[in-house]
Amino acid sequence: MRVVGRVEQLWIYPVRSLAGRAVPAVGIGATGLAGDRAWTPVGGDGAVLRAKQHPAVRDVVATGDPDADAAALTGALGRAVRLSVTEAAPGEVAPVHLVSRRAIDRAAAGDVPEGCSPDDPRANVVLALDEEDERAWVGEVVRIGDAVLRITRTPKHCLGVYADVRTPGEVRVGDPVLL
């Protein structure tokens, strides 16, 4: 394996569709980053609330405390919201989303997939890469901190790549990325 860059930022999104928060270190397990997308917002009618239909939820920064986050969403949307434990949909894969700073810069310059925001790539791991393009890593294995990930695919409507977890471990900002 060779060093191809470093971890620039780590992000978790405790509640789906809400804004994330940067963390200095995080454990990555078989289902992804600890605390990431653990909760799903649900309206009083039982329907899942998604940012596409309710853009105001993107501005709410999730804390990871379900009661506080539900109260913040209720205030932002002006109607009762509860949080439900997120259950993976059948066939849902790739629990880790990685994107390079270069991809974010390309997107800001106009090279962005339809439906993707260069301002909020919603990636878990933002990478500062030396000369690499993470899109070429599909099928490859990367080691970041103590975690080993297998890059599985590029997203349809987002920047970067998705990865499955081969070996769980702790990852920190500044850790080397080995390909």
Side-chain angles (χ1 to χ4, degrees), residues 48-99:
V48 172
L49 302 175
R50 302 193 189 282
K52 286 182 181 179
Q53 292 82 26
H54 306 279
V57 303
R58 285 190 184 114
D59 297 329
V60 177
V61 178
T63 66
D65 175 329
D67 294 330
D69 292 341
L73 278 169
T74 295
L77 295 178
R79 64 181 181 142
V81 175
R82 67 180 172 81
L83 297 183
S84 174
V85 173
T86 300
E87 295 183 25
E92 190 173 67
V93 294
V96 181
H97 182 191
L98 303 98
V99 67

Short mmCIF file of all heavy atoms in Angstrom, two decimals, residues 48-99:
data_model
loop_
_atom_site.label_atom_id
_atom_site.label_comp_id
_atom_site.label_asym_id
_atom_site.label_seq_id
_atom_site.Cartn_x
_atom_site.Cartn_y
_atom_site.Cartn_z
N VAL A 48 -41.82 9.37 6.20
CA VAL A 48 -40.44 9.81 6.37
C VAL A 48 -40.31 11.21 5.76
O VAL A 48 -40.80 11.47 4.66
CB VAL A 48 -39.47 8.83 5.68
CG1 VAL A 48 -38.05 9.38 5.68
CG2 VAL A 48 -39.51 7.47 6.37
N LEU A 49 -39.66 12.10 6.51
CA LEU A 49 -39.44 13.47 6.04
C LEU A 49 -38.07 13.55 5.38
O LEU A 49 -37.06 13.29 6.03
CB LEU A 49 -39.53 14.44 7.20
CG LEU A 49 -40.85 14.43 7.97
CD1 LEU A 49 -40.78 15.34 9.18
CD2 LEU A 49 -42.00 14.81 7.06
N ARG A 50 -38.04 13.91 4.11
CA ARG A 50 -36.79 13.99 3.36
C ARG A 50 -36.51 15.45 2.98
O ARG A 50 -37.43 16.23 2.78
CB ARG A 50 -36.87 13.13 2.11
CG ARG A 50 -37.18 11.67 2.43
CD ARG A 50 -36.95 10.78 1.23
NE ARG A 50 -37.42 9.43 1.47
CZ ARG A 50 -36.78 8.51 2.18
NH1 ARG A 50 -35.64 8.81 2.76
NH2 ARG A 50 -37.27 7.30 2.33
N ALA A 51 -35.24 15.75 2.87
CA ALA A 51 -34.83 17.12 2.54
C ALA A 51 -35.36 17.57 1.18
O ALA A 51 -35.61 18.76 0.99
CB ALA A 51 -33.31 17.25 2.59
N LYS A 52 -35.55 16.65 0.25
CA LYS A 52 -36.06 17.03 -1.07
C LYS A 52 -37.45 17.65 -0.97
O LYS A 52 -37.77 18.60 -1.67
CB LYS A 52 -36.11 15.81 -2.00
CG LYS A 52 -34.76 15.39 -2.48
CD LYS A 52 -34.85 14.22 -3.43
CE LYS A 52 -33.47 13.80 -3.87
NZ LYS A 52 -33.47 12.67 -4.77
N GLN A 53 -38.28 17.10 -0.09
CA GLN A 53 -39.63 17.63 0.09
C GLN A 53 -39.69 18.73 1.15
O GLN A 53 -40.61 19.54 1.15
CB GLN A 53 -40.59 16.51 0.49
CG GLN A 53 -40.86 15.49 -0.60
CD GLN A 53 -39.77 14.42 -0.70
OE1 GLN A 53 -39.08 14.13 0.26
NE2 GLN A 53 -39.62 13.85 -1.89
N HIS A 54 -38.73 18.75 2.06
CA HIS A 54 -38.72 19.70 3.18
C HIS A 54 -37.32 20.30 3.32
O HIS A 54 -36.57 19.95 4.22
CB HIS A 54 -39.13 19.00 4.48
CG HIS A 54 -40.43 18.27 4.39
ND1 HIS A 54 -41.64 18.91 4.50
CD2 HIS A 54 -40.70 16.95 4.16
CE1 HIS A 54 -42.62 18.02 4.37
NE2 HIS A 54 -42.07 16.83 4.15
N PRO A 55 -36.95 21.21 2.42
CA PRO A 55 -35.58 21.76 2.42
C PRO A 55 -35.13 22.38 3.74
O PRO A 55 -33.94 22.41 4.03
CB PRO A 55 -35.61 22.81 1.31
CG PRO A 55 -36.78 22.45 0.46
CD PRO A 55 -37.76 21.77 1.34
N ALA A 56 -36.06 22.83 4.57
CA ALA A 56 -35.69 23.46 5.84
C ALA A 56 -34.94 22.50 6.77
O ALA A 56 -34.18 22.95 7.62
CB ALA A 56 -36.93 24.00 6.55
N VAL A 57 -35.12 21.19 6.59
CA VAL A 57 -34.44 20.25 7.50
C VAL A 57 -32.92 20.26 7.29
O VAL A 57 -32.18 19.93 8.20
CB VAL A 57 -34.99 18.81 7.39
CG1 VAL A 57 -36.48 18.77 7.67
CG2 VAL A 57 -34.66 18.17 6.07
N ARG A 58 -32.48 20.66 6.11
CA ARG A 58 -31.03 20.70 5.83
C ARG A 58 -30.30 21.70 6.73
O ARG A 58 -29.11 21.58 6.94
CB ARG A 58 -30.78 21.09 4.38
CG ARG A 58 -31.05 20.00 3.41
CD ARG A 58 -30.54 20.38 2.02
NE ARG A 58 -30.89 19.36 1.07
CZ ARG A 58 -31.74 19.54 0.07
NH1 ARG A 58 -32.30 20.70 -0.14
NH2 ARG A 58 -32.00 18.55 -0.75
N ASP A 59 -31.02 22.70 7.22
CA ASP A 59 -30.41 23.75 8.05
C ASP A 59 -30.34 23.37 9.52
O ASP A 59 -29.70 24.07 10.31
CB ASP A 59 -31.17 25.06 7.90
CG ASP A 59 -31.12 25.58 6.47
OD1 ASP A 59 -30.10 25.33 5.79
OD2 ASP A 59 -32.08 26.23 6.04
N VAL A 60 -31.00 22.30 9.90
CA VAL A 60 -30.97 21.86 11.30
C VAL A 60 -29.74 20.97 11.50
O VAL A 60 -29.58 19.97 10.83
CB VAL A 60 -32.26 21.09 11.66
CG1 VAL A 60 -32.20 20.57 13.10
CG2 VAL A 60 -33.49 21.95 11.44
N VAL A 61 -28.88 21.37 12.43
CA VAL A 61 -27.67 20.58 12.72
C VAL A 61 -28.03 19.56 13.78
O VAL A 61 -28.42 19.91 14.90
CB VAL A 61 -26.51 21.48 13.21
CG1 VAL A 61 -25.29 20.64 13.55
CG2 VAL A 61 -26.16 22.51 12.14
N ALA A 62 -27.91 18.30 13.43
CA ALA A 62 -28.24 17.22 14.36
C ALA A 62 -27.19 17.12 15.46
O ALA A 62 -26.00 17.24 15.20
CB ALA A 62 -28.34 15.90 13.60
N THR A 63 -27.67 16.87 16.67
CA THR A 63 -26.77 16.72 17.81
C THR A 63 -26.50 15.27 18.13
O THR A 63 -25.53 14.95 18.80
CB THR A 63 -27.41 17.36 19.07
OG1 THR A 63 -28.58 16.62 19.41
CG2 THR A 63 -27.73 18.82 18.84
N GLY A 64 -27.39 14.39 17.69
CA GLY A 64 -27.29 12.98 18.06
C GLY A 64 -28.18 12.64 19.24
O GLY A 64 -28.38 11.49 19.58
N ASP A 65 -28.76 13.66 19.88
CA ASP A 65 -29.73 13.46 20.96
C ASP A 65 -31.11 13.45 20.31
O ASP A 65 -31.58 14.48 19.83
CB ASP A 65 -29.63 14.60 21.98
CG ASP A 65 -30.68 14.54 23.06
OD1 ASP A 65 -31.82 14.04 22.80
OD2 ASP A 65 -30.39 15.00 24.18
N PRO A 66 -31.78 12.29 20.25
CA PRO A 66 -33.03 12.21 19.50
C PRO A 66 -34.12 13.16 19.99
O PRO A 66 -34.88 13.69 19.18
CB PRO A 66 -33.46 10.75 19.64
CG PRO A 66 -32.58 10.15 20.65
CD PRO A 66 -31.39 11.01 20.84
N ASP A 67 -34.21 13.38 21.30
CA ASP A 67 -35.24 14.29 21.80
C ASP A 67 -34.96 15.73 21.36
O ASP A 67 -35.86 16.44 20.89
CB ASP A 67 -35.34 14.21 23.32
CG ASP A 67 -35.85 12.85 23.79
OD1 ASP A 67 -36.63 12.20 23.04
OD2 ASP A 67 -35.47 12.42 24.89
N ALA A 68 -33.72 16.17 21.51
CA ALA A 68 -33.34 17.54 21.11
C ALA A 68 -33.49 17.71 19.60
O ALA A 68 -33.97 18.76 19.13
CB ALA A 68 -31.92 17.84 21.55
N ASP A 69 -33.08 16.70 18.83
CA ASP A 69 -33.16 16.81 17.38
C ASP A 69 -34.62 16.82 16.91
O ASP A 69 -34.98 17.57 16.00
CB ASP A 69 -32.38 15.69 16.71
CG ASP A 69 -30.88 15.83 16.92
OD1 ASP A 69 -30.42 16.95 17.25
OD2 ASP A 69 -30.16 14.83 16.76
N ALA A 70 -35.48 16.01 17.53
CA ALA A 70 -36.90 16.02 17.17
C ALA A 70 -37.53 17.37 17.50
O ALA A 70 -38.31 17.91 16.71
CB ALA A 70 -37.64 14.89 17.90
N ALA A 71 -37.15 17.95 18.64
CA ALA A 71 -37.68 19.26 19.02
C ALA A 71 -37.21 20.34 18.03
O ALA A 71 -38.00 21.21 17.63
CB ALA A 71 -37.25 19.62 20.43
N ALA A 72 -35.94 20.28 17.62
CA ALA A 72 -35.43 21.25 16.65
C ALA A 72 -36.15 21.12 15.32
O ALA A 72 -36.49 22.13 14.68
CB ALA A 72 -33.92 21.07 16.48
N LEU A 73 -36.41 19.90 14.88
CA LEU A 73 -37.13 19.69 13.63
C LEU A 73 -38.58 20.16 13.74
O LEU A 73 -39.11 20.76 12.80
CB LEU A 73 -37.11 18.20 13.26
CG LEU A 73 -35.85 17.74 12.55
CD1 LEU A 73 -35.81 16.22 12.48
CD2 LEU A 73 -35.76 18.34 11.17
N THR A 74 -39.20 19.88 14.86
CA THR A 74 -40.58 20.34 15.07
C THR A 74 -40.64 21.86 14.96
O THR A 74 -41.53 22.41 14.30
CB THR A 74 -41.09 19.86 16.45
OG1 THR A 74 -41.15 18.42 16.44
CG2 THR A 74 -42.46 20.43 16.76
N GLY A 75 -39.67 22.55 15.56
CA GLY A 75 -39.63 24.00 15.47
C GLY A 75 -39.37 24.50 14.06
O GLY A 75 -40.00 25.45 13.60
N ALA A 76 -38.46 23.84 13.35
CA ALA A 76 -38.11 24.27 12.00
C ALA A 76 -39.26 24.05 11.01
O ALA A 76 -39.44 24.85 10.10
CB ALA A 76 -36.86 23.53 11.51
N LEU A 77 -40.01 22.98 11.19
CA LEU A 77 -41.07 22.65 10.23
C LEU A 77 -42.45 23.12 10.69
O LEU A 77 -43.40 23.10 9.91
CB LEU A 77 -41.10 21.15 9.97
CG LEU A 77 -39.86 20.60 9.27
CD1 LEU A 77 -39.97 19.08 9.11
CD2 LEU A 77 -39.65 21.26 7.92
N GLY A 78 -42.57 23.49 11.98
CA GLY A 78 -43.85 23.96 12.47
C GLY A 78 -44.89 22.87 12.59
O GLY A 78 -46.10 23.13 12.55
N ARG A 79 -44.44 21.64 12.73
CA ARG A 79 -45.35 20.51 12.95
C ARG A 79 -44.61 19.41 13.69
O ARG A 79 -43.37 19.38 13.70
CB ARG A 79 -45.92 19.99 11.63
CG ARG A 79 -44.90 19.41 10.70
CD ARG A 79 -45.59 18.96 9.43
NE ARG A 79 -44.65 18.36 8.51
CZ ARG A 79 -44.92 17.32 7.76
NH1 ARG A 79 -46.10 16.75 7.82
NH2 ARG A 79 -44.03 16.85 6.93
N ALA A 80 -45.36 18.53 14.29
CA ALA A 80 -44.76 17.47 15.12
C ALA A 80 -43.87 16.55 14.28
O ALA A 80 -44.28 16.10 13.20
CB ALA A 80 -45.84 16.67 15.81
N VAL A 81 -42.68 16.31 14.81
CA VAL A 81 -41.74 15.40 14.17
C VAL A 81 -41.18 14.49 15.26
O VAL A 81 -40.88 14.94 16.36
CB VAL A 81 -40.57 16.17 13.50
CG1 VAL A 81 -39.54 15.21 12.94
CG2 VAL A 81 -41.09 17.10 12.42
N ARG A 82 -41.06 13.22 14.93
CA ARG A 82 -40.40 12.28 15.84
C ARG A 82 -39.26 11.62 15.07
O ARG A 82 -39.21 11.69 13.84
CB ARG A 82 -41.37 11.25 16.39
CG ARG A 82 -41.92 10.29 15.35
CD ARG A 82 -42.89 9.28 15.95
NE ARG A 82 -43.54 8.50 14.93
CZ ARG A 82 -43.01 7.45 14.32
NH1 ARG A 82 -41.80 7.03 14.65
NH2 ARG A 82 -43.67 6.80 13.38
N LEU A 83 -38.35 11.02 15.79
CA LEU A 83 -37.25 10.31 15.15
C LEU A 83 -37.44 8.81 15.35
O LEU A 83 -37.79 8.36 16.43
CB LEU A 83 -35.91 10.74 15.72
CG LEU A 83 -35.54 12.21 15.49
CD1 LEU A 83 -34.15 12.50 16.03
CD2 LEU A 83 -35.62 12.58 14.02
N SER A 84 -37.18 8.08 14.29
CA SER A 84 -37.26 6.63 14.31
C SER A 84 -35.87 6.07 14.06
O SER A 84 -35.09 6.64 13.29
CB SER A 84 -38.22 6.18 13.19
OG SER A 84 -38.23 4.79 13.07
N VAL A 85 -35.56 4.96 14.71
CA VAL A 85 -34.27 4.32 14.47
C VAL A 85 -34.20 3.92 13.00
O VAL A 85 -35.14 3.32 12.46
CB VAL A 85 -34.08 3.07 15.37
CG1 VAL A 85 -32.82 2.32 15.01
CG2 VAL A 85 -34.06 3.49 16.83
N THR A 86 -33.12 4.29 12.35
CA THR A 86 -32.95 3.98 10.93
C THR A 86 -32.72 2.49 10.75
O THR A 86 -31.87 1.90 11.41
CB THR A 86 -31.77 4.77 10.34
OG1 THR A 86 -32.03 6.16 10.49
CG2 THR A 86 -31.56 4.44 8.88
N GLU A 87 -33.47 1.92 9.84
CA GLU A 87 -33.28 0.52 9.49
C GLU A 87 -32.81 0.49 8.04
O GLU A 87 -33.38 1.15 7.19
CB GLU A 87 -34.57 -0.26 9.65
CG GLU A 87 -35.03 -0.32 11.10
CD GLU A 87 -36.27 -1.16 11.29
OE1 GLU A 87 -36.53 -2.05 10.45
OE2 GLU A 87 -36.98 -0.91 12.26
N ALA A 88 -31.75 -0.27 7.79
CA ALA A 88 -31.22 -0.36 6.43
C ALA A 88 -32.24 -1.01 5.51
O ALA A 88 -32.87 -2.01 5.87
CB ALA A 88 -29.93 -1.16 6.42
N ALA A 89 -32.41 -0.42 4.35
CA ALA A 89 -33.30 -1.00 3.35
C ALA A 89 -32.63 -2.21 2.72
O ALA A 89 -31.39 -2.27 2.64
CB ALA A 89 -33.61 0.05 2.28
N PRO A 90 -33.41 -3.19 2.28
CA PRO A 90 -32.81 -4.35 1.63
C PRO A 90 -31.93 -3.92 0.45
O PRO A 90 -32.34 -3.08 -0.34
CB PRO A 90 -34.02 -5.16 1.14
CG PRO A 90 -35.16 -4.70 1.99
CD PRO A 90 -34.86 -3.28 2.35
N GLY A 91 -30.74 -4.43 0.39
CA GLY A 91 -29.83 -4.10 -0.69
C GLY A 91 -29.06 -2.81 -0.48
O GLY A 91 -28.24 -2.44 -1.30
N GLU A 92 -29.33 -2.09 0.64
CA GLU A 92 -28.60 -0.85 0.91
C GLU A 92 -27.16 -1.21 1.27
O GLU A 92 -26.92 -2.03 2.13
CB GLU A 92 -29.28 -0.10 2.05
CG GLU A 92 -28.74 1.30 2.24
CD GLU A 92 -29.55 2.06 3.27
OE1 GLU A 92 -29.52 1.70 4.44
OE2 GLU A 92 -30.21 3.02 2.86
N VAL A 93 -26.24 -0.61 0.56
CA VAL A 93 -24.83 -0.94 0.75
C VAL A 93 -24.02 0.34 0.88
O VAL A 93 -24.55 1.44 0.80
CB VAL A 93 -24.29 -1.76 -0.44
CG1 VAL A 93 -24.95 -3.13 -0.50
CG2 VAL A 93 -24.46 -1.02 -1.74
N ALA A 94 -22.73 0.16 1.02
CA ALA A 94 -21.78 1.26 1.03
C ALA A 94 -22.04 2.22 2.18
O ALA A 94 -22.52 3.34 1.98
CB ALA A 94 -21.77 1.99 -0.30
N PRO A 95 -21.70 1.81 3.39
CA PRO A 95 -21.97 2.64 4.55
C PRO A 95 -21.04 3.84 4.75
O PRO A 95 -21.28 4.65 5.63
CB PRO A 95 -21.84 1.66 5.71
CG PRO A 95 -20.92 0.61 5.22
CD PRO A 95 -21.18 0.50 3.75
N VAL A 96 -19.98 3.96 3.94
CA VAL A 96 -19.05 5.08 4.09
C VAL A 96 -18.96 5.84 2.77
O VAL A 96 -18.79 5.24 1.71
CB VAL A 96 -17.64 4.60 4.53
CG1 VAL A 96 -16.70 5.78 4.72
CG2 VAL A 96 -17.73 3.76 5.80
N HIS A 97 -19.08 7.17 2.85
CA HIS A 97 -19.00 8.03 1.66
C HIS A 97 -17.74 8.87 1.78
O HIS A 97 -17.58 9.63 2.73
CB HIS A 97 -20.25 8.91 1.60
CG HIS A 97 -20.33 9.80 0.42
ND1 HIS A 97 -21.26 10.81 0.32
CD2 HIS A 97 -19.61 9.87 -0.73
CE1 HIS A 97 -21.10 11.45 -0.83
NE2 HIS A 97 -20.11 10.90 -1.47
N LEU A 98 -16.85 8.73 0.80
CA LEU A 98 -15.60 9.47 0.77
C LEU A 98 -15.60 10.43 -0.42
O LEU A 98 -16.09 10.07 -1.49
CB LEU A 98 -14.40 8.52 0.61
CG LEU A 98 -14.24 7.42 1.64
CD1 LEU A 98 -14.81 6.13 1.12
CD2 LEU A 98 -12.78 7.24 1.98
N VAL A 99 -15.03 11.60 -0.22
CA VAL A 99 -14.91 12.56 -1.32
C VAL A 99 -13.62 13.34 -1.12
O VAL A 99 -13.21 13.64 0.00
CB VAL A 99 -16.13 13.50 -1.39
CG1 VAL A 99 -16.23 14.42 -0.20
CG2 VAL A 99 -16.13 14.31 -2.68
#
